[in-house]
Amino acid sequence: MNVIDAIKARRSVRSYQDKLVEPQKLDQILEAARLAPSANNFQDWKFVVVQDAPTRQALVKACNDQAFIAQAPVVIAACSTNPNRLMSSGQPAAAVDLAIAVDHMTLAAVELGLGTCWIGAFDAPAVAKLLDVPDGAVVVHVLPLGYPAKTSAPRPRKSASEVLCQEKFS
Ligand SMILES: Cc1cc2nc3c(=O)[nH]c(=O)nc-3n(C[C@H](O)[C@H](O)[C@H](O)COP(=O)(O)O)c2cc1C
């Protein structure tokens, strides 16, 4: 599968099979995160890989009761170890860096027949407490990972003419 095909095939998966993720596949997905680019190549991140069932269950409550999170055999918490750094553009490096790393994982997962769902709705201090994330680090994204239980149709996107413009913003 090439990258464009993976981008087209990716969906947010909110229902998972009762099937473990093979360690070799998990390693490949985590490697996709490790290889992601980051501002100044600082790589101010840590990825907490959760497979313990009671912890995954506890994450449900910390993630606004999104029950499907515990269905996934793996949940990855993408954390920043330098959460307050702003790039010269004024944008927060942590959110950007971790988004790229998580996106790499979502696409690698597709290639390996796995599914993910970005989780942005969560209580960050509660997730941090569950996972022993120390002061000074923050959980930026949560990503359940597993075999999809069903296929879903693509969600709609704005048309190219709505989101693209040439030379000047219009
Ligand atoms: C930053 C971010 C946060 C998100 N948070 C959640 C979430 O907490 N729960 C959820 O079910 N989906 C979440 N989503 C998934 C979006 O709802 C989904 O990507 C969007 O509806 C498009 O659907 P698709 O991913 O299947 O293309 C999030 C997506 C992004 C990019």
Side-chain angles (χ1 to χ4, degrees):
M1 178 179 278
N2 65 35
V3 177
I4 298 291
D5 289 338
I7 289 169
K8 288 179 177 167
R10 188 208 54 79
R11 305 276 183 274
S12 288
V13 173
R14 299 185 180 88
S15 178
Y16 295 91
Q17 293 177 38
D18 184 15
K19 180 178 172 185
L20 294 178
V21 175
E22 297 85 342
Q24 214 182 351
K25 287 192 176 185
L26 181 55
D27 285 350
Q28 287 182 75
I29 288 163
L30 297 170
E31 186 67 353
R34 192 184 70 82
L35 295 176
S38 58
N40 298 91
N41 200 27
F42 280 171
Q43 304 161 67
D44 288 327
W45 50 36
K46 192 82 107 171
F47 301 92
V48 184
V49 183
V50 180
Q51 300 188 71
D52 174 68
T55 309
R56 288 185 286 117
Q57 194 55 53
L59 282 170
V60 168
K61 189 171 180 332
C63 296
N64 297 10
D65 290 316
Q66 300 188 77
F68 65 87
I69 291 171
Q71 241 185 32
V74 181
V75 182
I76 299 163
C79 306
S80 171
T81 54
N82 189 6
N84 298 320
R85 190 165 78 94
L86 295 181
M87 297 180 285
S88 55
S89 65
Q91 298 302 318
V96 175
D97 290 347
L98 270 303
I100 296 166
V102 170
D103 205 50
H104 274 205
M105 290 194 280
T106 68
L107 297 177
V110 171
E111 183 178 0
L112 298 171
L114 291 153
T116 57
C117 184
W118 283 80
I119 300 296
F122 60 90
D123 177 339
V127 175
K129 189 168 179 207
L130 277 172
L131 305 183
D132 287 349
V133 175
D135 289 347
V138 299
V139 184
V140 180
H141 307 284
V142 173
L143 190 76
L145 167 74
Y147 283 93
K150 57 185 179 201
T151 53
S152 49
R155 300 284 324 277
R157 294 292 192 264
K158 291 181 179 176
S159 67
S161 63
E162 283 177 283
V163 299
L164 303 179
C165 41
Q166 305 297 329
E167 312 302 343
K168 303 276 187 191
F169 192 110
S170 59

